[in-house]
Every structure is written in structure tokens, then in C-alpha cells.
Amino acid sequence: INLSLFLMLLPTALQDYIMQHELTHLVEMNHGPRFYALLDARLSVTHDNLELGLWGNNLTQTHYDAFSFVTRSQIFSQRGTPLQVGLDLRLKL
């Protein structure tokens, strides 16, 4: 993995996403369906004991087969997960 020194100038949340993106390439080298199935994103902001997080799965709405097999007469497949987004609010005690 090669990273630019300019990465240090970005906000921490973007640094985290870029690192997750690059580390996902250790498992899947291209930007195909399997890559995006592995890559989920989470951006969070923390202030004192409060954390607000925005997360997403399958952010590119990539359609793919998560699992499939063929018999003599039928094809069975399970579609990948749809676009999902959410918001978390956490209080650290």
C-alpha cells in the first residue's frame, strides 16, 4: 500500500475511510462487486463523551450475487445487500 503524505492533512474521518479502502485491496485487488461488499464506511465525530456516527453499506448500490449455484434445471442465487445507511449517537459514560 502506498499512501501520500497529504493524507495527514485530511480530517481523521477521511483518513479512516481511505485506510479502510486501501486495506480492503489486500483482500480484493479491483473495484468489483466483491470489493464493495467488503467495504463499509463509517464517519464519526467525537466531542467530549458524545460520538455521532454516519455509516453506510454498499454505498455504490452495486448489484451482485453474494452466493449462487446451478443444478441441472435451475439457477439459485442470493443477491447482495442493498444500499443501507444509518446514524448512530453514542454517549460514553
Side-chain angles (χ1 to χ4, degrees):
I1 296 174
N2 294 315
L3 300 171
S4 169
L5 289 175
F6 292 107
L7 182 63
M8 294 185 298
L9 302 175
L10 296 175
T12 304
L14 287 176
Q15 291 176 9
D16 291 346
Y17 174 78
I18 291 169
M19 289 303 298
Q20 288 175 8
H21 179 100
E22 294 305 321
L23 289 171
T24 302
H25 281 301
L26 295 175
V27 177
E28 187 64 33
M29 294 302 293
N30 60 39
H31 290 108
R34 187 165 183 258
F35 176 86
Y36 288 105
L38 294 170
L39 178 65
D40 294 334
R42 177 176 177 79
L43 300 174
S44 60
V45 177
T46 304
H47 179 71
D48 294 331
N49 293 335
L50 188 63
E51 179 182 352
L52 178 64
L54 174 65
W55 57 268
N57 296 329
N58 196 8
L59 298 175
T60 59
Q61 297 187 28
T62 304
H63 298 287
Y64 60 93
D65 289 332
F67 173 76
S68 64
F69 65 92
V70 178
T71 66
R72 287 187 211 176
S73 60
Q74 292 184 330
I75 299 173
F76 296 93
S77 71
Q78 178 179 341
R79 301 299 292 172
T81 58
L83 169 70
Q84 299 173 337
V85 294
L87 186 66
D88 294 332
L89 181 61
R90 298 178 185 186
L91 178 61
K92 298 177 185 178
L93 302 175

